[in-house]
Amino acid sequence: MRFRQASVLPGFGLAFGYTVFYLGLVVLLPLSALIIKTSSLTFDRFWEVVTAERVMAAYQLTFGASFVAALINLFAGLLVAWVLTRYRFPGKRLVDALVDLPFALPTAVAGIALTTLYAPNGLIGEWLAPLGVQVAFKPLGVVVALTFIGLPFVVRTVQPVLQELEAELEEAAACLGASRWQTFGKVILPTVLPALMTGFTLAFARAIGEYGSVIFIAGNIPLESEIVPLLIIGKLEQYDYAGATAIASVMLLISFGLIFVINLIQWWHGRRHGMRK
Amino acid sequence: MHSLHSSKRSGATDEPAWVRWLLTVAALVFLAFFLLLPLAAVFTEALRKGWDLYWEALKEPEALSAIKLTLIITAIAVPLNLVFGVAASWAIAKFDFKGKSLLITLIDLPFSVSPVVAGLIYVLVFGAQGWLGPWLAEHDIKIIFAVPGMVLATVFVTFPFVARELIPLMEAQGTDEEQAALVLGASGWQTFWKVTLPNIKWGLLYGVILSNARAMGEFGAVSVVSGHIRGLTNTVPLHVEILYNEYNFVAAFACASILALLALVTLAVKTWVEWRSERQMAAEQAVVHDH
């Protein structure tokens, strides 16, 4: 077995060598520094840092808010993708382009804009205040910020699948007597399900690590509205490198886990797709 | 309703008009609340006290030095990742080798790492207590709390953009055209410049625009390695944070509005590039059908 199959094209050695060298230098070497630094801690010390009360509260908020935000995006994203692929309305191209705004708008800008809107005297906040709902400086604010930054993921993974869905499938279902609602549930939804799950996981993964858009709106009250990335920064500012590294390595482990889940979904989808052919 | 009927579908595979209206309105209301309002808020807050104060805030020496530093960092980080992206996609898309999917996963890795963790790993390598810290201090080289560290953090967070755009594009294009050029006697570099590059130019531009937007707007990773030294290691996003925390809202939103404009330009160019590459593909397909 050879490492590479023969090809008449030149430049594999140079391109591959440079890719691996640059990847190693910029990404893998610094990431390994994190792992090595973590392993220099004793297990008891590591466990003490990553299970401290304040850290546990931060995990709970980060994962809880990320999950809720990804869930909102799952439904809203499917709705937006559906409307953008199926219906025609004035200004559709503009709306389609605007969906990518959270990718393009710097997170700090999104953070201060959302805070201004949802503060108790803000444009949206002052409508919610009489109802007893406070968004900014509360965990709910974290959910709002994470919903904003995760919005494009579900739309952009589901949209191409909906676009390529063959009309014949739906026609066949209709001919066989299915109602529109049945067709949606039994034909369309199963087809877009892998894309929906991938989009959900991507939005969730992005939300867990998010920092810039959250810190302004969260209020950052310990045990109540403090996210995990902020704890890492706090430890760094106190020169507690070991503590920062321990929490960061937990987050890195979770990121790796989510990458694995995404690959699993795609592999599962690929297998199902392959079997149908 | 003429303006709201679905395309290519009719009768049995269409929803009733009221369902279409309801879904469209619901989607648009959601997008208005979550996208349009925050965007509009940036500009209304920036101009709340009039144009004079707006310009005043942008002409501050600290704002100008933040803009300058942002441009410098982007001008270094984006070309570095551009060269990497082309090399990586050439190796991955044009050749078959073992461990290819592992390599792609590793290239995508920076997308899944929290920006704060991205900043932290460079502190662990180059910081005072880091691996190279003592050596760097001996030779009087500053990387952390200085511009080189901020460039490195920016390179990390924008790492996959170009490669990720180019790999699927080059895989779809295959190697037939390059093989033909080589058979006709072109050298490897000639083939790359005259055959491959024109084919991937839109994808390349797309990747560059996305890395550019992220590089100019990056906050978390750059914040960790910057040390927040006013006038020295402040980029525009970091300057926005400082102004906002000082309750100087007009100035904060004035600086934020430059970044929001950058985002709008990014979206406009992105839409244009998508439209161009769609047209190019349609034209190529038409040529194939004619023959």
Side-chain angles (χ1 to χ4, degrees), chain A residues 7 17 49 54 59 105 138 147 152 193 227 241 252:
Chain A
S7 165
V49 172
R54 199 166 154 189
Y59 289 138
L105 193 70
K138 293 275 170 207
T147 306
L193 195 64
I227 53 165
Y241 289 84
L252 198 65

Side-chain angles (χ1 to χ4, degrees), chain A residues 133-201:
Chain A
V133 182
Q134 198 190 334
V135 178
F137 320 123
K138 293 275 170 207
L140 200 55
V142 180
V143 173
V144 168
L146 295 180
T147 306
F148 174 83
I149 58 129
L151 201 149
F153 286 101
V154 175
V155 181
R156 292 302 184 226
T157 46
V158 171
Q159 216 175 0
V161 182
L162 276 179
Q163 227 141 30
E164 275 165 31
L165 200 69
E166 288 153 28
E168 285 83 353
L169 277 178
E170 290 171 53
E171 280 162 13
C175 288
L176 293 168
S179 72
R180 194 65 195 133
W181 188 240
Q182 280 173 323
T183 309
F184 179 79
K186 304 224 158 144
V187 177
I188 300 172
L189 206 56
T191 317
V192 297
L193 195 64
L196 266 178
M197 283 163 63
T198 306
F200 175 86
T201 318

Side-chain angles (χ1 to χ4, degrees), chain A residues 1-5 7-12 14-16 18-19 22-23 26-28 30-34 36-37 76 79-80 82-83 86-89 93 95 97-102 104-109 112-117 123-124 144 147-148 151 165 167 170-171 174 180 209 211-212 215-216 229 232-233 236 241 244-245 248 252 255-256 259 263, chain B residues 3-7 9 12-15 20 23-24 26-28 30-31 33-39 41-42 45 80-81 83-84 87-88 90-91 94-98 103 105-107 109-110 112-117 120-125 129 131 155-156 159 175 178-179 182 188-189 217 219-220 224 237 240-241 244 253 256 259-260 263 267 270-271 275:
Chain A
M1 287 279 271
R2 299 217 338 243
F3 164 65
R4 169 170 81 89
Q5 284 182 345
S7 165
V8 292
L9 293 191
F12 176 76
L14 179 68
F16 182 79
Y18 182 70
T19 302
Y22 188 75
L23 177 74
V26 175
V27 178
L28 301 182
L31 275 178
S32 66
L34 183 78
I36 290 167
K37 178 88 184 170
L79 173 70
V80 171
W82 178 269
V83 167
R86 293 295 172 111
Y87 306 147
R88 262 193 278 178
F89 53 90
R93 253 207 123 87
V95 174
L98 202 66
V99 167
D100 281 326
L101 183 74
L105 193 70
T107 52
V109 178
I112 62 170
L114 289 171
T115 311
T116 305
L117 286 174
L123 195 65
I124 301 174
V144 168
T147 306
F148 174 83
L151 201 149
L165 200 69
E170 290 171 53
E171 280 162 13
R180 194 65 195 133
Y211 174 70
I215 52 157
F216 296 99
I232 297 176
I233 300 243
L236 268 180
Y241 289 84
T245 311
L252 198 65
S255 304
F256 287 165
I259 295 174
N263 282 335
Chain B
S3 61
L4 197 82
H5 65 85
S6 47
S7 45
R9 285 158 201 281
T13 59
D14 217 352
E15 290 84 45
R20 297 204 299 266
L23 292 177
T24 309
L28 291 180
F30 175 78
L31 292 178
F33 266 89
F34 273 93
L35 296 181
L36 213 53
L37 269 181
L39 187 63
V42 174
E45 291 296 319
L80 279 177
N81 284 338
V83 173
F84 162 75
W90 179 267
K94 302 284 183 190
F95 297 91
D96 268 321
F97 56 91
K98 274 190 217 161
L103 188 61
T105 306
L106 289 177
I107 289 173
L109 206 57
S112 323
V113 173
S114 169
V116 171
V117 177
L120 172 69
I121 58 177
Y122 288 105
V123 174
L124 292 178
V125 175
Q129 299 184 359
W131 281 355
V155 167
F156 184 93
F159 188 84
T175 58
E178 280 85 1
Q179 285 182 15
L182 288 165
W189 283 112
F219 179 73
V224 171
V240 168
E241 184 200 17
Y244 188 85
F253 277 102
L259 294 171
L267 291 184
K270 189 172 167 290
T271 311
W275 180 71

Side-chain angles (χ1 to χ4, degrees), chain A residues 31-52 55-56 59 63 228-229 231-236 239-255, chain B residues 114 116-117 120-121 124:
Chain A
L31 275 178
S32 66
L34 183 78
I35 294 160
I36 290 167
K37 178 88 184 170
T38 310
S39 59
S40 73
L41 289 172
T42 64
F43 183 76
D44 289 339
R45 172 89 178 95
F46 172 81
W47 195 247
E48 190 191 311
V49 172
V50 300
T51 56
V55 183
M56 291 304 270
Y59 289 138
F63 292 123
V228 180
L231 279 182
I232 297 176
I233 300 243
K235 297 242 180 232
L236 268 180
Y239 300 102
D240 179 5
Y241 289 84
T245 311
I247 300 173
S249 66
V250 172
M251 291 200 65
L252 198 65
L253 208 66
I254 291 159
S255 304
Chain B
S114 169
V116 171
V117 177
L120 172 69
I121 58 177
L124 292 178

Side-chain angles (χ1 to χ4, degrees), chain B residues 25-233:
Chain B
V25 169
L28 291 180
V29 166
F30 175 78
L31 292 178
F33 266 89
F34 273 93
L35 296 181
L36 213 53
L37 269 181
L39 187 63
V42 174
F43 293 104
T44 50
E45 291 296 319
L47 295 169
R48 184 167 284 258
K49 303 257 167 73
W51 284 93
D52 288 344
L53 274 175
Y54 179 80
W55 289 119
E56 206 80 339
L58 293 184
K59 280 193 297 199
E60 285 279 316
E62 276 164 10
L64 289 177
S65 74
I67 293 171
K68 202 175 124 197
L69 185 58
T70 298
L71 292 176
I72 291 171
I73 290 173
T74 309
I76 302 171
V78 173
L80 279 177
N81 284 338
L82 173 65
V83 173
F84 162 75
V86 172
S89 51
W90 179 267
I92 290 169
K94 302 284 183 190
F95 297 91
D96 268 321
F97 56 91
K98 274 190 217 161
K100 192 192 259 193
S101 53
L102 176 70
L103 188 61
I104 296 174
T105 306
L106 289 177
I107 289 173
D108 271 344
L109 206 57
F111 274 162
S112 323
V113 173
S114 169
V116 171
V117 177
L120 172 69
I121 58 177
Y122 288 105
V123 174
L124 292 178
V125 175
F126 298 108
Q129 299 184 359
W131 281 355
L132 300 175
W135 186 86
L136 291 169
E138 226 169 79
H139 294 79
D140 207 24
I141 305 170
K142 266 195 90 87
I143 291 185
I144 296 306
F145 304 146
V147 177
M150 300 168 79
V151 172
L152 279 172
T154 308
V155 167
F156 184 93
V157 294
T158 57
F159 188 84
F161 280 105
V162 176
R164 168 178 271 215
E165 283 309 320
L166 289 186
I167 291 168
L169 183 68
M170 281 166 82
E171 265 174 353
Q173 284 169 351
T175 58
D176 293 354
E177 289 183 37
E178 280 85 1
Q179 285 182 15
L182 288 165
V183 169
L184 292 170
S187 74
W189 283 112
Q190 278 176 326
T191 309
F192 174 74
W193 288 108
K194 304 244 156 117
V195 177
T196 311
L197 204 59
N199 275 339
I200 59 169
K201 61 182 177 201
W202 297 117
L204 203 67
L205 185 59
Y206 198 106
V208 167
I209 299 160
L210 294 181
S211 348
N212 181 67
R214 183 70 198 264
M216 288 188 174
E218 179 51 30
F219 179 73
V222 171
S223 169
V224 171
V225 294
S226 79
H228 301 280
I229 308 163
R230 277 191 115 146
L232 276 180
T233 60

Side-chain angles (χ1 to χ4, degrees), chain B residues 235-259:
Chain B
T235 59
V236 181
L238 298 179
H239 191 57
V240 168
E241 184 200 17
I242 290 181
L243 292 169
Y244 188 85
N245 287 340
E246 286 171 350
Y247 301 101
N248 192 350
F249 294 134
V250 169
F253 277 102
C255 291
S257 74
I258 315 175
L259 294 171

